[in-house]
Amino acid sequence: LLETDPRDLRALTQVLDGDLVVVLYDAVSGGAGYAARLTRDAGFSMRVLLTMTRDVLECTNPDCIRACSRCLHDYSNQRVWHELDRNPALVWVDALLNGVAVSA
């Protein structure tokens, strides 16, 4: 969406009062403003970001059950490939896009 190196923007998750919270942040030293651009600048919206996320999670690889190099596997996360599963994330993103309340 931002046409930048994917490693420049990171996310962390936590459960707060039963709700899943996702925090986007710049991984660039000193910050580059990428997280802010996604939410308030240049006409981007979370709906666009979530729609693009859903497109990635709806992997087109017919052999992909949980994750593969077409959807989630890349060099930066290879140490956790065995833990990645796009399916719960896809359910969560679809719920958000459909306006359904989501609890962790």
Side-chain angles (χ1 to χ4, degrees), residues 26-39:
D26 294 341
V28 178
S29 180
Y34 296 135
R37 282 185 58 204
L38 284 173
T39 57

Side-chain angles (χ1 to χ4, degrees), residues 56 59 61 64 67-75 77 81:
V56 170
C59 187
N61 179 358
C64 180
C68 72
S69 60
R70 270 195 212 163
C71 57
L72 297 180
H73 291 174
D74 67 24
Y75 178 77
N77 65 15
W81 282 0

Side-chain angles (χ1 to χ4, degrees), residues 14-76:
Q14 64 185 32
V15 177
L16 185 62
D17 296 328
D19 295 321
L20 181 63
V21 176
V22 178
V23 178
L24 297 176
Y25 64 95
D26 294 341
V28 178
S29 180
Y34 296 135
R37 282 185 58 204
L38 284 173
T39 57
R40 64 176 180 236
D41 297 339
F44 296 123
S45 74
M46 288 310 292
R47 177 162 288 285
V48 172
L49 178 62
L50 290 171
T51 299
M52 292 182 80
T53 301
R54 181 180 58 202
D55 292 345
V56 170
L57 294 173
E58 290 176 336
C59 187
T60 59
N61 179 358
D63 297 323
C64 180
I65 304 298
R66 295 170 36 116
C68 72
S69 60
R70 270 195 212 163
C71 57
L72 297 180
H73 291 174
D74 67 24
Y75 178 77
S76 70

